[in-house]
């Protein structure tokens, strides 16, 4: 028999098995929630104090259950960022043969978590026909180890044309380095910075924890810049920071575009200190208003590393990204990547090159832009008069500002609706001097078309 205990300290529903010790029962309930995916990786758990208060049990009992799961790898605990569900929680191999389990229950019926495009929109037919053409034309040497660590020249040339035309990037195929998504590019750059004896990187006060963790894992401290309606506060950057990581076209997740004055300020900082600006242009293809926001890299290609990705425009599963590297840093980046191209499939590179050259990439982006724009407009219309919406000029997500003090209630209601959604505070750098803001980050690009209306209805029903 199971007893369902719903607690709302931080939006957590647990099913404790009756008849077990409290600590063991709680640990098993948490394990099951992480295993089934109902508690998404990265989810921050309530403090042991507030969960204990919600459950009416001793704080030590909760703390011990948390510690057990940290030791098993289901949870992570870090000073300042609390206890979270581990990024890659997987069932551990049991010492005894495990009893047969029912298939995992899907955790949430709907998702508005930001980070992925509508995967149902992947252009399967056009990709397949580009792959066919690319394969038919591929020289035999394409099946060997890629002898140029920058990646296939066909793709570098296609990207150089596209990035110059569509994003205002000063792109020379010789300085394009292909990588397995933005994260891989950032990994290489972090190692370059460490080899330069850099110790600190300035990052936006709101951003992705995985990117901050990656920098920390490479031995770099992250210093939080403020973020406001004009993007990251790039004035007054310290000389000690060896690099600045920015999302200038569409700040992630607040959605602001970096103003011209702040663009100039960060480039001036790089010129004065010799530091690098790392420009994350993750969703630059999706701009809905007339005012185009070009890449920051155009201001100073010798100081700015431009990083682009196919994760939003096509699919994250492709693991394809590209960097346009300043000439003075090219050898350092290539030394980190390796003597040959170990990381990306030549066939995928040739396919993407053909996809871009044939015009299929532009067609796909245009059609997805229309899809996302329609969703964005529907979202704005559905919540108007209830909550404020911002960050909507571009990208696949928006920020909904809730009345102060109602964020928890909204998250709780969303969970009841079966809707996965994240609060803005989830993305806050632990040291950021940014004003607390009750808000949700709504990834309206995420649901498949077939689920969009129901997902939007679940969101509206969750709002205070
Ligand atoms: C801010 C930000 N940068 C970069 C990326 C892309 O990362 P990758 O290319 O490694 O998939 C994402 C995707 O969600 C993102 O949100």
């Amino acid at each position: 028999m199971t007893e369902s205990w719903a607690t709302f300290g931080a939006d957590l529903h647990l099913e404790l098995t009756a008849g077990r010790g409290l600590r063991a029962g709680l640990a098993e309930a948490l394990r099951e929630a992480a295993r089934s995916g109902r508690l998404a990786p990265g989810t921050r758990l309530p403090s042991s104090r507030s969960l204990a208060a919600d459950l009416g049990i001793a704080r030590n009992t909760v703390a011990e259950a948390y510690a057990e799961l940290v030791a098993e790898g289901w949870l992570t605990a870090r000073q300042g960022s609390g206890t979270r569900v581990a990024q890659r929680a997987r069932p551990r191999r049991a010492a005894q043969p495990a009893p047969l389990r029912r298939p995992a229950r899907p955790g949430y019926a709907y998702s508005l978590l930001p980070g992925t495009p509508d995967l149902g929109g992947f252009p399967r037919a056009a990709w397949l026909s580009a792959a066919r053409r690319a394969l038919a034309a591929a020289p035999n040497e394409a099946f060997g180890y890629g002898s140029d660590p920058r990646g296939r020249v066909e793709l570098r040339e296609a990207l150089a044309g596209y990035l110059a035309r569509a994003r205002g990037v000063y792109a020379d195929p010789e300085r394009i380095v292909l990588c397995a998504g933005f994260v891989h590019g950032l990994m290489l750059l972090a190692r370059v910075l460490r080899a330069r004896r850099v110790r600190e990187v300035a990052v936006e006060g709101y951003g992705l924890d995985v990117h901050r963790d990656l920098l920390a894992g490479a031995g770099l401290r992250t210093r939080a810049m403020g973020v406001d309606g004009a993007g990251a506060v790039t004035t007054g950057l310290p000389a000690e920071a060896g690099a600045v990581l920015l999302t200038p076209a569409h700040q992630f997740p607040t959605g602001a575009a970096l103003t011209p004055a702040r663009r100039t300020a960060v480039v001036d900082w790089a010129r004065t200190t010799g530091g690098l600006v790392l420009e994350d242009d993750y969703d630059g293809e999706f701009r809905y208003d007339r005012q185009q926001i070009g890449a920051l890299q155009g201001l100073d290609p010798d100081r700015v590393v431009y990083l682009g990705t196919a994760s939003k425009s096509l699919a994250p599963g492709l693991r394809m990204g590209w960097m346009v590297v300043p000439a003075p840093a090219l050898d350092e980046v290539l030394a980190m990547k390796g003597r040959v191209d170990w990381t990306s499939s030549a066939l995928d590179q040739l396919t993407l090159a053909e996809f871009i050259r044939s015009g299929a990439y532009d067609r796909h982006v245009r059609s997805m832009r229309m899809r996302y724009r329609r969703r964005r407009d529907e979202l704005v219309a559905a919540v108007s008069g209830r909550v404020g919406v911002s960050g909507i000029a571009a990208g696949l997500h928006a920020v909904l500002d809730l009345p102060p003090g109602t964020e928890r209630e909204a998250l709780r209601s969303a969970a009841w609706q079966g809707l996965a959604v994240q609060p803005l505070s989830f993305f806050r750098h632990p040291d950021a001097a940014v004003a607390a803001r009750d808000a949700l980050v709504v990834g309206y690009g995420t649901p498949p078309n077939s689920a969009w209306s129901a997902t939007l209805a679940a969101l509206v029903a969750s709002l205070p």
Side-chain angles (χ1 to χ4, degrees), residues 149-170:
R150 291 172 298 189
R152 295 295 306 186
V153 67
E154 295 90 334
L155 179 53
R156 291 188 283 114
E157 282 173 352
L159 279 169
Y162 174 79
L163 294 174
R165 165 168 65 79
R167 300 296 304 126
V169 173
Y170 181 84

Side-chain angles (χ1 to χ4, degrees), residues 115 181-183 208 211 247 252 280 282 309 311-312 319:
F182 168 84
V183 161
L208 278 176
H211 297 168
T247 48
F252 187 88
D280 175 3
Y282 64 105
T309 175
S311 289
K312 286 278 171 35
R319 302 315 302 142

